[in-house]
Amino acid sequence: MTLLLLSTSDTDLLAARSVAEPALELRLGNPARVPDPVALLDGVRLVVVRLLGGARAWDGLDALRTGCAE
């Protein structure tokens, strides 16, 4: 199972990268730097999004939600 963690907090991503043996395969990214969020969903079973500033902080959130629902 793969977990997709998207966070606008670089410290979240650094902390996740530092886990020596994660329980799940991790795919990490900063949504502000992701051109196509739906492309990240291939093979992902769980998505966690942390947006500092709320939903207004990332225009791709609706596309990601739609991709998850499909």
Side-chain angles (χ1 to χ4, degrees), residues 1-6 16-17 19-28 40-48:
M1 180 184 306
T2 301
L3 177 136
L4 172 61
L5 170 62
L6 296 174
R17 280 191 190 103
V19 176
E21 295 184 35
L24 302 172
E25 180 183 333
L26 298 176
R27 188 173 300 165
L28 309 171
L40 296 174
L41 294 175
D42 187 40
V44 169
R45 298 281 303 201
L46 179 64
V47 178
V48 175

Side-chain angles (χ1 to χ4, degrees), residues 2 6-8 10 13-14 26 28 33-34 37 41 43-45 47-49 52 62-63 65-67 70:
T2 301
L6 296 174
S7 177
T8 53
D10 289 334
L13 301 174
L14 289 170
L26 298 176
L28 309 171
R33 298 182 190 116
V34 173
L41 294 175
V44 169
R45 298 281 303 201
V47 178
V48 175
V49 179
L52 301 178
D62 289 332
R65 283 181 182 160
T66 301
E70 293 173 355

